[in-house]
């Protein structure tokens, strides 16, 4: 398989779409649901696998689970929401605290945890747009053929052109899922769809848009001659256009752990290969993180899990989805911008972005006005009514972001209705670093906070400030890309005890993909540009599907290793990947780097991890036997196995802590997936403050699948002046053909 890297990264984001008018039958959202109000809460109950019960049938399992409920209440039947088969050994039920306490004393009880809320990882901006786009080089291919991607999200609108079954092969015979719409709308692309809400079957229709957006990023079908509002023209597709999509709607108004577990349970039994989950929550220990537990079950069954790092960056330790068995994806910017250049009267130039690019807007110098200049808060943000009595007619109006005005469309309407000719949307503070190519209802540009200060300074200095606006359309090759989006969740993880997170970054800023048609747009083709790690995770799910198609025998950990050890660390201009302001950054922001799909297809060596390693790692976290048993879905006695630390997990990165005047050794096992008779030698960029020795320094393989063990010795001298600091380096195994890179982070304790 050959993947053209540049076209992957340039093109996948142009899922330009048509939509057929919505069939109202699809919108009957609730199929059946029971009441979940009252004084009971939903709990997820983990129980021991009863040694005497043969768990061959779902019914036997359910009977066993019910045996925990029967003593509690005569209406035990009504309490159970879900009886899980694969995702955990246990069930979800509506219980009072007293009932949970009673249950804790029962034989076979392992662990109980209240249902948790999880959130979608997008910066939600309901901006509809039409985008000018005529550079499209994507050719139809067989990438991802035969692979099924399960998307846990807000559902799907099945009548979108991204999800047609045209030119799609039949799903593989192992597919067992169902299509739970009221009418038969599934096809060879959209092979299944189900909704899970509080123990009930529910409609998988996407009334939010997030779910179809992420699904089309991962595996949207090829859409030829796509055009939107007469502007966008080009071919569109997701990352793995030949992969099948199985939709599991788990987020209605909220997303709950019990529903997420039910979806993972279903995806495992349906025959899904890759899960894309752009959802996260509070970083809880793994035994209380329903999604992490379900993900481990999925990984054990051979499913790859791509999840989002969260949007709470750039704050340190803001990363979510920290389990080492998941791929945790941060968001990067693309090398594409949809540019608007503003020329100020003093000759200064400022670059901004706008998705709306009028092709007949003349470049003329026009007066600039900032209605909020006098400190009127509502006028600063161009809130409704705030421009009354201000003469903005024929002028370029400056508005700040925020201020309770919901989106750029609303601000634009205020400016337009007041007679303004164009709008400059100024980022309001250092916290809002992201400049987005948004939809606008008039000629407009969003600019950064720093550039906003430049304009304000110019306006102060010149009594008749003017500016001209130049719409430059889509500009490729922005040299400072990829860089890390400011919102992208940063490590280190506070709960995984030192496994480097995020693992990787992928495109997550200004991603254009499928979007439902709003009721008042009729049959208008719609798509939308969203930003968030929500958009980055499905890119990696798509890449994993491509790798799964070309290497069906690779385990999830092998696929993950291949993605991480081949990642790009440099921007297009040859400098290290930076943050969004161009400042240098670190592994806690970039993970292993920016995904390079074609290199990931041929990594040379991989670091594999099996379920036993993860269980030993869970023991090493200091969890109790019951807590480990809940996560592992089997009875575990940590004393009877070798617990390992996070440092010793066979991860493709190294995170070690060293004390002054000490030495630490960690061991890794690499597997040859390149050629027979391969020879690798080691190269190390030692982190400042430690000496790094590798033994052996040269490793040889005579055949594929052979494994070799090596040791890495970290030796620290007197590092007492470094305590609390972190330094970074890299270890590389290099053959004539491959470079297998591992990031090293050393923290001094
Ligand atoms: C299953 O067997 C293990 C070890 O033999 C024992 O400790 C455990 O209590 C048994 N579990 C049940 C539910 O009978
Ligand atoms: C779109 O795809 C078609 C069919 O593969 C191809 O002929 C055409 O050149 C593509 N258009 C662009 C703009 O890439
Ligand atoms: C795409 O547009 C071209 C030129 O307008 C036309 O020749 C071609 O048939 C169209 N293809 C499809 C699939 O509509
Ligand atoms: C903007 O958001 C607020 C609060 O969510 C809501 O009450 C209001 O209706 C929204 N305005 C518009 C024009 O949608
Ligand atoms: C970028 O680096 C400069 C110089 O170190 C620093 O002053 C500035 O605050 C940094 N910017 C951000 C956004 O961190
Ligand atoms: C390597 O191992 C995998 C899985 O065990 C197997 O499917 C594959 O055929 C092996 N490859 C070679 C070249 O032996």
């Amino acid at each position: 398989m050959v993947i053209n890297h540049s076209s992957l990264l340039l093109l996948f984001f142009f899922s330009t779409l048509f939509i057929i008018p919505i069939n109202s039958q699809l919108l009957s959202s609730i199929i059946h649901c029971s009441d979940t109000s009252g004084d009971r809460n939903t709990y997820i109950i983990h129980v021991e696998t009863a040694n005497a019960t043969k768990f061959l049938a779902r019914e036997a399992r359910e009977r066993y689970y019910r045996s925990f409920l029967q003593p509690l209440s005569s209406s035990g039947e009504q309490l159970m929401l879900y009886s899980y088969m694969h995702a955990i050994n246990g069930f979800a039920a509506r219980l009072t605290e007293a009932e949970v306490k009673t249950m804790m004393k029962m034989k076979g009880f392992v662990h109980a945890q209240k249902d948790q809320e999880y959130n979608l990882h997008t910066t939600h901006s309901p901006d509809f747009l039409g985008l000018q786009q005529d550079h499209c080089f994507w050719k139809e291919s067989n990438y991802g053929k035969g692979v099924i991607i399960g998307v846990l999200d807000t559902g799907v609108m099945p009548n979108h052109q991204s999800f047609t079954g045209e030119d799609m092969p039949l799903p593989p015979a192992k597919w067992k899922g169902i299509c739970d719409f009221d009418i038969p709308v599934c096809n060879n692309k959209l092979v299944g769809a189900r909704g899970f809400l509080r123990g009930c079957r529910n409609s998988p229709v996407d009334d939010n848009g997030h779910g179809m957006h992420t699904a089309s990023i991962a595996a949207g079908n090829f859409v030829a001659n796509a055009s939107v509002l007469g502007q966008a023209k080009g071919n569109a597709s997701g990352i793995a256009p030949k992969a099948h999509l199985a939709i599991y709607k788990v987020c209605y108004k909220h997303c709950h752990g019990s529903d997420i577990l039910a979806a993972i349970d279903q995806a495992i039994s349906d025959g899904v290969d890759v899960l894309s989950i752009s959802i996260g929550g509070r970083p809880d220990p793994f035994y209380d993180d329903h999604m992490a537990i379900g993900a481990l079950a999925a990984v054990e069954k051979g499913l790859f899990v791509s999840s989002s790092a969260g949007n709470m960056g750039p704050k340190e330790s803001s990363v979510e989805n920290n389990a080492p068995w998941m791929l945790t994806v941060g968001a990067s910017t693309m090398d594409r911008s949809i540019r608007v250049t503003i020329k100020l009267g003093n000759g200064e130039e400022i670059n901004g972005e706008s998705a709306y690019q009028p092709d007949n807007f003349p470049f003329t110098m026009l007066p600039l006005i900032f209605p909020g200049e006098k400190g009127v808060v509502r006028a600063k943000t161009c809130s409704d009514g705030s421009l009354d009595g201000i003469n903005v007619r024929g002028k370029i109006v400056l508005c700040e972001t925020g201020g309770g005005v919901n989106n750029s469309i609303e601000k634009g309407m205020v400016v337009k209705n007041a007679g303004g000719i164009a709008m400059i949307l100024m980022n309001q503070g250092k916290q809002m670093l992201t400049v987005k190519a948004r939809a606008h209802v008039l000629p407009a540009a969003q600019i950064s906070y720093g550039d906003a200060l430049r304009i304000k300074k110019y306006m102060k200095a010149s009594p008749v400030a003017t500016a001209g606006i130049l719409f430059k359309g889509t500009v490729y090759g922005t040299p400072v890309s990829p860089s890390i989006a400011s919102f992208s969740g940063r490590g280190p993880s506070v709960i995984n005890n030192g496994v480097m997170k995020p693992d990787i970054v992928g495109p997550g800023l200004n991603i254009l993909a499928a979007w439902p048609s709003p009721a008042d747009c009729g049959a208008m083709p719609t798509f939308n540009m969203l930003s968030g790690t929500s958009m980055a995770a499905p890119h990696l799910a798509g890449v994993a599907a491509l790798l799964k198609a070309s290497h069906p025998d690779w385990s999830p950990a092998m696929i993950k290793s291949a993605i991480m050890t081949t990642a790009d660390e440099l921007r297009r201009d040859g400098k290290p990947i930076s943050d969004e302001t161009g400042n240098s950054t670190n592994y806690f922001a970039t993970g292993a780097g920016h995904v390079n799909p074609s290199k990931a297809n041929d990594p040379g060596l991989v670091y594999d991890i099996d379920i036993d390693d993860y269980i030993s790692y869970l023991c090493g976290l200091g969890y109790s036997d019951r807590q480990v048993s809940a996560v592992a879905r089997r009875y575990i006695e940590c004393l009877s196995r070798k617990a390992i630390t996070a440092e010793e997990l066979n991860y493709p990165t190294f995170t070690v802590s060293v004390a002054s005047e000490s030495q630490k050794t960690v061991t890794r096992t690499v597997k040859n997936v390149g050629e027979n008779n391969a020879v690798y030698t080691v190269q190390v960029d030692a982190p400042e403050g430690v000496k790094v020795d590798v033994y052996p320094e040269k490793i040889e393989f005579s055949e594929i699948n052979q494994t070799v063990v090596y040791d890495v010795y970290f030796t620290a001298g007197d590092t007492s002046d470094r305590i609390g600091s972190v330094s970074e380096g890299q270890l590389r195994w290099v053959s004539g053909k491959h470079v297998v890179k591992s990031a090293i982070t050393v923290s001094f304790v």
Side-chain angles (χ1 to χ4, degrees):
M1 186 182 75
V2 182
I3 304 167
N4 181 324
H5 171 52
S6 61
S7 54
L8 259 180
L9 295 185
L10 288 172
L11 295 173
F12 287 125
F13 323 112
F14 297 97
S15 294
T16 54
L17 312 142
F18 309 113
I19 217 164
I20 301 154
I22 299 160
N23 184 319
S24 60
Q25 283 183 64
L26 290 176
L27 294 173
S28 57
S29 217
I30 291 178
I31 296 165
H32 160 75
C33 209
S34 66
D35 179 29
T36 52
S37 59
D39 59 352
R40 292 168 189 279
N41 286 303
T42 302
Y43 283 84
I44 314 260
I45 310 292
H46 299 260
V47 296
E48 261 179 52
T49 316
N51 298 334
T53 311
K54 287 261 177 287
F55 272 2
L56 295 179
R58 201 169 260 284
E59 293 71 30
R61 213 167 239 266
E62 203 177 309
R63 264 199 309 280
Y64 170 59
Y65 295 157
R66 283 198 191 284
S67 73
F68 289 86
L69 291 173
Q70 267 137 18
L72 301 179
S73 146
S74 53
S75 62
E77 296 287 308
Q78 263 81 59
L79 299 179
M80 192 184 284
L81 299 182
Y82 292 112
S83 155
Y84 302 110
M85 182 88 181
H86 306 285
I88 64 167
N89 280 337
F91 54 94
R94 304 282 302 165
L95 299 167
T96 63
E97 220 167 292
E99 286 169 335
V100 175
K101 286 222 170 84
T102 308
M103 200 183 277
M104 282 174 172
K105 297 189 197 102
M106 294 180 190
K107 184 169 161 52
F109 171 89
V110 172
H111 182 68
Q113 169 69 7
K114 238 188 223 165
D115 203 358
Q116 306 276 33
E117 266 200 33
Y118 291 81
N119 307 303
L120 295 167
H121 277 164
T122 190
T123 55
H124 196 95
S125 57
D127 296 349
F128 292 92
L129 59 93
L131 172 82
Q132 182 177 345
Q133 162 49 34
D134 41 24
H135 308 273
C136 262
F137 328 94
W138 179 249
K139 287 190 183 137
E140 193 172 1
S141 82
N142 289 336
Y143 295 154
K145 199 169 178 173
V147 177
I148 303 165
I149 302 178
V151 182
L152 269 60
D153 210 298
T154 63
V156 71
M157 280 292 198
N159 52 3
H160 202 284
Q161 188 144 348
S162 275
F163 307 120
T164 64
E166 215 174 294
D167 295 327
M168 282 293 298
L170 283 168
K174 65 169 181 166
W175 171 246
K176 293 202 271 301
I178 62 159
C179 184
D180 205 6
F181 289 106
D182 291 352
I183 54 171
V185 286
C186 286
N187 53 46
N188 289 340
K189 165 57 72 184
L190 190 63
V191 293
R194 296 194 53 163
F196 299 89
L197 179 61
R198 297 305 187 99
C200 304
R201 191 177 144 227
N202 217 307
S203 166
V205 164
D206 188 2
D207 44 16
N208 174 299
H210 189 272
M212 57 195 290
H213 198 269
T214 54
S216 70
I217 291 169
N221 204 347
F222 184 80
V223 182
N225 281 0
S227 109
V228 173
L229 308 176
Q231 292 225 27
K233 284 197 182 67
N235 293 335
S237 107
I239 299 277
K242 288 291 176 186
H244 308 280
L245 281 167
I247 304 297
Y248 300 92
K249 176 162 179 163
V250 293
C251 298
Y252 289 80
K253 266 206 176 74
H254 305 281
C255 329
H256 287 103
S258 55
D259 300 323
I260 291 170
L261 276 177
I264 293 175
D265 206 87
Q266 190 66 47
I268 292 171
S269 77
D270 285 350
V272 162
D273 299 297
V274 174
L275 285 176
S276 184
I277 311 183
S278 295
I279 300 169
R282 200 174 64 208
D284 281 318
F286 298 129
Y287 52 82
D288 283 341
D289 182 346
H290 311 308
M291 199 158 92
I293 296 174
L296 182 62
V299 165
E300 187 177 358
K301 296 273 158 50
L303 284 75
F304 184 90
V305 182
S306 178
S307 63
S308 40
N311 302 331
M312 303 303 278
K315 209 173 72 207
E316 198 176 275
S317 293
S318 51
V319 64
E320 297 172 36
N321 292 323
N322 291 297
W325 46 88
M326 300 161 100
L327 181 76
T328 309
V329 189
S332 60
T333 66
M334 286 189 288
D335 72 339
R336 183 201 70 193
S337 58
I338 308 170
R339 187 165 294 166
V340 183
T341 300
I342 300 157
K343 289 194 175 160
L344 302 181
N346 64 1
E348 273 189 74
E349 282 193 16
I350 285 168
N351 283 329
E353 299 218 25
S354 171
Y356 173 54
Q357 298 266 329
D359 48 16
N360 54 359
F361 189 78
F363 178 80
T364 42
M365 297 308 279
L366 296 165
L368 276 170
I369 181 166
F370 179 35
E373 193 176 21
K374 298 200 174 67
V376 181
V377 176
R378 284 176 52 74
K380 271 188 183 179
T381 54
C382 301
S383 300
D384 201 10
S386 67
L387 302 189
D388 296 351
I390 299 177
N391 180 13
V392 301
R393 196 156 291 280
K395 296 177 185 167
I396 299 173
V397 182
L398 295 149
C399 306
E400 285 181 351
T401 53
V405 184
N406 302 3
N407 63 42
S408 57
I409 302 263
E410 283 172 34
K411 286 182 203 280
M413 287 305 294
V414 171
V415 172
K416 194 175 176 180
N417 292 339
I421 206 162
M423 174 174 75
I424 295 175
L425 185 60
M426 303 185 294
N427 278 0
Q428 201 188 85
K430 284 186 183 130
Q431 264 48 48
M432 303 179 69
L433 294 168
T434 303
V435 174
K436 292 179 181 170
R438 295 173 185 274
H440 295 286
V441 292
L442 79 173
Q446 183 173 12
I447 62 170
S448 71
Y449 177 66
D451 287 336
L453 295 181
R454 281 169 66 197
I455 292 198
K456 285 183 187 169
K457 192 172 160 204
Y458 159 65
M459 288 178 75
K460 269 220 175 81
S462 20
V464 274
T466 57
I469 300 184
L470 213 52
F471 288 91
K472 292 189 170 167
T474 309
V475 179
Y476 292 93
T478 312
V480 294
S481 71
S483 57
I484 307 301
S486 62
F487 56 75
S488 184
R490 307 297 208 267
S493 160
V494 290
I495 53 152
N496 73 16
N497 212 21
V499 175
M500 194 190 290
K501 290 282 171 176
D503 293 306
I504 192 86
V505 294
L509 193 68
N510 296 335
I511 306 300
L512 195 64
W515 197 250
S517 186
D520 59 358
C521 284
M524 275 303 194
T526 56
F527 58 113
N528 192 8
M529 208 171 246
L530 298 187
S531 296
T533 53
S534 270
M535 284 66 240
H539 279 99
L540 270 293
V543 171
L546 301 179
L547 294 171
K548 189 104 188 166
S550 69
H551 305 285
D553 59 316
W554 282 8
S555 71
M558 289 166 76
I559 292 176
K560 184 169 160 178
S561 171
I563 289 171
M564 288 171 68
T565 61
T566 58
D568 290 334
E569 300 154 280
L570 301 180
R571 305 190 306 207
R572 291 175 61 95
D573 61 3
K575 299 204 175 109
I577 292 175
S578 59
D579 71 12
E580 232 181 293
T581 66
N583 277 3
S584 67
T585 183
N586 59 25
Y587 288 137
F588 294 136
T590 64
H594 195 261
V595 58
N596 184 330
S598 62
K599 282 194 183 160
N601 190 40
D602 185 18
L605 305 176
V606 291
Y607 295 82
D608 200 2
I609 303 178
D610 68 20
I611 189 75
D612 268 331
D613 301 328
Y614 291 127
I615 293 171
S616 299
Y617 157 81
L618 290 168
C619 287
L621 290 175
Y623 293 175
S624 70
D625 284 355
R626 282 184 175 221
Q627 288 165 341
V628 175
S629 300
V631 183
R633 304 174 322 287
R634 71 202 74 186
Y635 180 72
I636 302 291
E637 248 179 351
C638 283
L639 271 180
S640 68
R641 60 165 61 226
K642 184 176 166 275
I644 61 168
T645 64
E647 294 170 351
E648 291 166 294
L649 191 64
N650 201 39
Y651 218 69
T653 54
F654 295 86
T655 311
V656 294
S657 58
V658 296
S660 194
E661 313 278 4
S662 75
Q663 189 182 64
K664 190 168 250 174
T665 311
V666 300
T667 302
R668 289 287 188 273
T669 305
V670 277
K671 185 177 202 168
N672 182 22
V673 293
E675 301 78 37
N676 294 329
N677 302 316
V679 178
Y680 287 81
T681 51
V682 79
Q683 292 177 357
V684 177
D685 302 331
E688 262 181 57
V690 288
K691 191 161 156 286
V692 179
D693 297 293
V694 178
Y695 183 81
E697 294 182 327
K698 183 169 154 188
I699 52 179
E700 296 182 35
F701 301 88
S702 54
E703 54 194 40
I704 306 255
N705 282 346
Q706 198 181 338
T707 59
V708 163
V709 176
Y710 68 89
D711 291 323
V712 187
Y713 302 88
F714 295 89
T715 314
D718 179 2
T719 53
S720 43
D721 56 336
R722 289 182 181 270
I723 288 173
S725 74
V726 171
S727 74
E728 298 191 336
Q730 192 179 64
L731 180 152
R732 292 178 295 277
W733 287 106
V734 182
S735 73
K737 220 177 144 204
H738 299 286
V739 181
V740 187
K741 297 179 287 190
S742 287
I744 304 173
T745 301
V746 170
S747 45
F748 297 92
V749 292

